[in-house]
Amino acid sequence: MGQLNTIVPEKEPERQYYFIELLKDEIKKKAEKKGGSLTYHIQTFGCQMNARDSEKLAGILEAAGFVHTDNEEADFVIYNTCSVRENANNRLYGHLGRMKVVKKNNPDMLIAICGCMMQEPDEIEKIKTKYKFIDIVFGTHNIFKFAELVHTKLNSEGMIIDIWKDTNQIVEDLPDVRKYTFKSGVNIMYGCNNFCSYCIVPYVRGRERSREPKDIIREVERFVKEGVKEVMLLGQNVNSYGKTLENPISFAELLKEVSKVEGLERIRFMTPHPKDLSDELIETMAVTPKVCHHIHLPLQSGSSRILKLMNRHYTKESYLELVKKIRKRMPDAALTTDIIVGFPGETEEDFNDTMDVVREAEFDSAYTFIYSKREGTPAASMTEQIPEEVTKERFDRLLKQVGESSKKRCGLDVGKTLKVLVEEVNQNHEGLLTGRLENNTLVHFKGNSSLVGTICDVKLNESKGFYYIGELV
Ligand code: 5AD
Ligand code: SF4
């Protein structure tokens, strides 16, 4: 299929670099015809995993000669989808409805859909029958093949669909384009083996597999050379990092290794699971200066009965014990969480257990979700689904309680001078910058845009509930 006089390499990533070379020629010719560069736009739904995947897709496209645009009416539009809750699925179809018209007016444009939703067979059927104008469909396991898929599309008719059920392959060393110059996500593992009964992730992201520590370190070193000060190590359950590697290593050991990278200032991670957060990890966080004192520890429910139905492997009591242990060893640590309201069978008593934990744990902040039924998960066939009005009323009560805890926690550092990584010029208030404390809390303060990407000392003058107003010192 190639136009180069070489055999298509079988090994990755060489194979994809081969296709990038072919694409370069193809895209150049199209750009000449158009009289300007071909543009791409990636719409990313969902979590940081997807955000990082989109950076890899962007890397491949830019290597092939596309230039980025914020405009959704680009020459190539990619939707990187999320399926964790139903409204994420619905949002995609809103976009596709609009793009149908856009593509009719510009048949030369390309549209690709990838990500978690594409691992759901029902969604693929829907795309095949109702959205025939889509050019390329691929899943979560083969994003590294993007260059090859685009090349195939440019040289054939009809929709290209390539979905893998699972994989144990990890392809390193493909190009990427990072959204921020000063911070970056770093995948340390892919997939999830936990099968929480409400969650679709294990079905769409496959079985757990860890990257080799040396590949992770090499990537972090490259990022630091490019100006990165903070990395976020990403995995669905970082506590099980490294267990299946040929030379097993714990997540805490990985943290120590990453912290040795010179020039790196901050290390964050997402997400540990409360069932197996080790003492070794707490100790490592406490004694390793670069590791930020912030733990995102998804609670999901405070009821031991519901936690059992959720297949979470911990109880109300053991969760609160863990919180105590963390607070004792790192009193300055911020604790954030995820909570689901309205899981099938949740009674008022169960919900009150969740409220108890929120009161006792005093989370710095919490992402709260209304339970969303995901077909194919065990919870979807549980009979006692909770009426919407009941869930909504509980959800409002929970939000209020979470707000009260945040306010209390966020006030604790007023008057202190702390280090802030400046992330952006504040969009809403001219002259203000926005950055984050080590514990992830937002701070707004007066300053010049040249400070973006640097770490500054900022005095925290006032708490506004979940963020601070400060001044440079
Ligand atoms: N309904 C609602 N929230 C969910 N989450 C995962 N699956 C569901 C679902 N079916 C939430 C969990 C998880 C976060 C990423 O999304 O709280 O921690
Ligand atoms: Fe989903 Fe549970 Fe895995 Fe998190 S740990 S991705 S909630 S199955």
Side-chain angles (χ1 to χ4, degrees):
M1 67 165 93
Q3 290 98 344
L4 293 182
N5 280 335
T6 49
I7 298 166
V8 184
E10 275 185 25
K11 237 179 97 204
E12 300 290 3
E14 291 79 0
R15 185 177 171 89
Q16 297 314 312
Y17 279 103
Y18 170 87
F19 284 109
I20 289 173
E21 282 306 312
L22 293 186
L23 275 181
K24 268 187 191 166
D25 277 349
E26 289 160 347
I27 301 308
K28 200 169 149 208
K29 280 191 197 122
K30 281 184 180 292
E32 276 162 12
K33 202 168 139 206
K34 179 189 168 190
S37 300
L38 294 200
T39 56
Y40 77 94
H41 176 85
I42 306 182
Q43 191 82 39
T44 309
F45 301 89
C47 66
Q48 272 131 331
M49 292 277 177
N50 263 17
R52 181 72 190 125
D53 283 350
S54 289
E55 292 183 344
K56 295 175 186 174
L57 297 173
I60 292 168
L61 288 176
E62 293 200 10
F66 283 93
V67 296
H68 172 261
T69 172
D70 284 329
N71 189 345
E72 202 171 336
E73 294 183 21
D75 295 305
F76 194 174
V77 183
I78 299 98
Y79 296 99
N80 189 2
T81 63
C82 166
S83 57
V84 78
R85 284 170 292 276
E86 196 182 354
N87 58 2
N89 290 46
N90 295 340
R91 277 177 63 206
L92 171 73
Y93 290 113
H95 282 269
L96 294 188
R98 287 193 295 281
M99 289 318 278
K100 190 172 183 169
V101 184
V102 175
K103 175 120 185 182
K104 212 170 192 169
N105 295 329
N106 180 12
D108 281 345
M109 77 175 294
L110 289 175
I111 304 179
I113 319 181
C114 62
C116 295
M117 255 175 93
M118 299 303 105
Q119 297 293 140
E120 294 183 79
D122 288 354
E123 302 293 350
I124 297 291
E125 265 323 294
K126 195 163 159 183
I127 303 267
K128 270 206 281 204
T129 51
K130 294 200 181 142
Y131 298 89
K132 294 192 170 130
F133 60 95
I134 302 298
D135 299 287
I136 307 173
V137 179
F138 57 107
T140 54
H141 302 303
N142 55 346
I143 70 158
F144 71 87
K145 260 188 81 177
F146 190 38
E148 183 170 348
L149 294 172
V150 179
H151 170 77
T152 309
K153 171 64 209 176
L154 292 179
N155 293 281
S156 55
E157 292 296 317
M159 193 188 287
I160 304 291
I161 303 181
D162 191 8
I163 310 289
W164 297 6
K165 264 202 153 71
D166 203 352
T167 184
N168 51 20
Q169 198 176 2
I170 295 178
V171 178
E172 298 288 346
D173 297 323
L174 279 165
D176 64 8
V177 173
R178 283 180 289 97
K179 186 169 171 201
Y180 300 98
T181 51
F182 52 88
K183 67 169 185 179
S184 182
V186 174
N187 298 109
I188 61 164
M189 57 201 295
Y190 302 93
C192 181
N193 286 355
N194 288 315
F195 291 96
C196 300
S197 64
Y198 50 82
C199 187
I200 201 164
V201 168
Y203 306 90
V204 296
R205 289 252 168 203
R207 297 293 63 73
E208 241 169 54
R209 54 214 182 273
S210 298
R211 281 177 81 190
E212 287 291 340
K214 67 168 179 14
D215 292 329
I216 296 170
I217 301 291
R218 199 153 45 99
E219 186 168 72
V220 174
E221 283 171 348
R222 169 166 73 85
F223 288 173
V224 170
K225 261 193 212 128
E226 292 167 4
V228 163
K229 300 206 161 53
E230 176 182 300
V231 290
M232 166 80 87
L233 307 181
L234 299 171
Q236 301 295 351
N237 175 14
V238 295
N239 302 341
S240 48
Y241 171 76
K243 289 193 174 145
T244 52
L245 287 172
E246 212 173 292
N247 297 309
I249 148 170
S250 70
F251 177 60
E253 283 166 323
L254 178 75
L255 275 182
K256 283 182 217 157
E257 287 307 309
V258 175
S259 82
K260 288 181 195 156
V261 174
E262 250 175 75
L264 181 67
E265 309 238 15
R266 284 179 172 183
I267 305 168
R268 301 185 184 282
F269 59 87
M270 278 260 240
T271 310
H273 194 302
K275 77 177 157 71
D276 52 5
L277 193 142
S278 67
D279 292 351
E280 185 201 11
L281 176 56
I282 298 175
E283 193 52 34
T284 303
M285 286 184 76
V287 301
T288 315
K290 287 181 189 176
V291 180
C292 291
H293 285 187
H294 169 213
I295 304 190
H296 185 71
L297 195 62
L299 168 67
Q300 313 302 7
S301 168
S303 153
S304 299
R305 192 182 76 84
I306 294 290
L307 286 168
K308 192 151 197 217
L309 291 172
M310 286 178 161
N311 194 31
R312 292 287 290 175
H313 300 281
Y314 55 88
T315 62
K316 176 184 186 184
E317 292 72 27
S318 67
Y319 186 94
L320 283 170
E321 271 309 304
L322 181 58
V323 169
K324 247 196 223 156
K325 203 161 30 172
I326 294 167
R327 294 246 193 261
K328 191 162 173 227
R329 189 65 186 87
M330 287 182 288
D332 63 331
L335 205 63
T336 57
T337 199
D338 291 343
I339 300 169
I340 298 175
V341 180
F343 182 83
E346 183 187 75
T347 62
E348 186 58 23
E349 201 185 337
D350 293 320
F351 176 70
N352 281 330
D353 279 334
T354 301
M355 292 287 274
D356 280 351
V357 177
V358 172
R359 256 187 304 268
E360 281 190 45
E362 292 193 332
F363 296 111
D364 291 73
S365 68
Y367 293 98
T368 48
F369 305 107
I370 286 178
Y371 167 74
S372 170
K373 185 173 165 180
R374 308 314 290 132
E375 283 314 330
T377 63
S381 50
M382 292 181 184
T383 46
E384 213 189 319
Q385 304 284 330
I386 308 296
E388 206 179 302
E389 357 29 291
V390 176
T391 308
K392 284 227 166 98
E393 190 274 329
R394 287 179 189 161
F395 186 80
D396 291 343
R397 264 190 286 160
L398 177 66
L399 267 191
K400 217 168 138 217
Q401 186 61 53
V402 166
E404 278 172 29
S405 305
S406 307
K407 216 162 151 184
K408 213 159 146 189
R409 293 284 309 172
C410 185
L412 292 178
D413 288 326
V414 170
K416 288 187 191 159
T417 296
L418 295 175
K419 297 224 174 292
V420 172
L421 172 57
V422 188
E423 298 205 335
E424 59 187 8
V425 172
N426 192 299
Q427 307 290 330
N428 305 318
H429 298 278
E430 222 188 296
L432 279 192
L433 298 174
T434 297
R436 279 179 199 275
L437 297 176
E438 188 202 316
N439 74 10
N440 213 36
T441 309
L442 285 172
V443 184
H444 304 304
F445 60 101
K446 272 200 192 125
N448 190 289
S449 63
S450 64
L451 293 175
V452 170
T454 66
I455 294 184
C456 303
D457 286 317
V458 176
K459 180 158 183 246
L460 308 177
N461 290 332
E462 195 188 341
S463 160
K464 292 277 193 187
F466 61 96
Y467 64 91
Y468 288 102
I469 300 291
E471 64 179 315
L472 270 173
V473 294

